[in-house]
Amino acid sequence: MLGEGSIMSDRDGYRAISSRSAVTFDLDARFPDQVFRESARDSLFCEFDVVLAPEIWPALCTMARWHGDDHIELLVLEPDCDDFYVPEGLGYPAVSLPVEASEDDYWAAIGFEPEGDALGSISISANVVALTGASAKWGCWGERDPEVAVFQGFPDAAARSEWCSRFGPFLDVSGALESYLPMAFGGRPVPDPYAAALTANYGPPSGRRP
């Protein structure tokens, strides 16, 4: 059951989305560790805020359609549902929308302000989000702290390239380390251990150019 603004109004619906998301993602993992259960080694990154803006919706729908998914589900992992959203009377932080929905529909869901509280909207409050479909063959994971999100699940290199050109800008892991992530470290170069772990988890297989 969906509540107003497509935010889940019941715990059962929230738990169902959480269970399906757990097929695609390790919900306890965080960057620079691997968040995908099965890495496709085809990662593309963008800034975190891009994922919580209406303009990303067509890109998500394209990925869903590649794999036959008729709905896209968004789950907020941080703040914790029972530590923040439920005590504040904000509902359950998950959204399910059909791929036929519009950019405005997506924004209505993630920008919805429960009880008129802007801080309760997913677009403002969410710190870690996971988006995927029932196929579990693609996904987008974003974290506000390092200010990046990662996509995986492209059918082939040509589709990845065309998607990137059409909906970008997106960067591979080396580009993300150079352009996006230094902001999370005060404008300084990303620490070597973090960069090495992110590259190992999200870079192309050894010997293959991105």
Side-chain angles (χ1 to χ4, degrees):
M1 179 179 179
L2 297 178
E4 184 180 3
S6 296
I7 293 175
M8 286 291 152
S9 61
D10 66 285
R11 184 174 291 273
D12 287 345
Y14 172 79
R15 284 176 171 169
I17 287 182
S18 181
S19 294
R20 288 191 291 271
S21 296
V23 178
T24 304
F25 302 104
D26 177 352
L27 301 183
D28 294 322
R30 299 292 184 268
F31 294 142
D33 294 337
Q34 178 58 260
V35 300
F36 291 91
R37 293 285 185 190
E38 295 184 15
S39 174
R41 312 298 295 186
D42 60 359
S43 303
L44 287 174
F45 288 81
C46 71
E47 294 175 298
F48 175 78
D49 287 340
V50 171
V51 176
L52 296 180
E55 292 78 12
I56 198 63
W57 183 248
L60 296 169
C61 290
T62 296
M63 298 194 80
R65 289 188 172 107
W66 280 335
H67 302 291
D69 290 331
D70 57 11
H71 278 71
I72 294 170
E73 296 181 336
L74 180 152
L75 176 70
V76 178
L77 296 166
E78 293 182 13
D80 181 79
C81 174
D82 291 324
D83 289 343
F84 175 69
Y85 291 96
V86 173
E88 294 294 326
L90 302 174
Y92 296 88
V95 169
S96 179
L97 286 174
V99 294
E100 290 80 14
S102 67
E103 293 179 30
D104 288 343
D105 294 328
Y106 181 57
W107 179 246
I110 64 172
F112 173 65
E113 301 176 1
E115 304 298 326
D117 183 1
L119 295 178
S121 74
I122 288 174
S123 64
I124 298 297
S125 61
N127 293 325
V128 180
V129 296
L131 300 94
T132 188
S135 69
K137 293 181 178 178
W138 68 278
C140 170
W141 176 284
E143 297 182 22
R144 192 179 295 277
D145 186 22
E147 291 290 348
V148 292
V150 64
F151 297 80
Q152 286 191 11
F154 304 98
D156 51 49
R160 177 180 182 269
S161 179
E162 193 277 334
W163 184 89
C164 184
S165 297
R166 181 180 176 189
F167 300 114
F170 299 99
L171 298 173
D172 63 14
V173 67
S174 62
L177 285 166
E178 182 177 341
S179 298
Y180 297 151
L181 282 153
M183 292 184 290
F185 294 93
R188 297 183 297 273
V190 179
D192 288 343
Y194 189 105
L198 200 74
T199 299
N201 285 313
Y202 299 98
S206 179
R208 195 192 82 187
R209 296 183 62 83

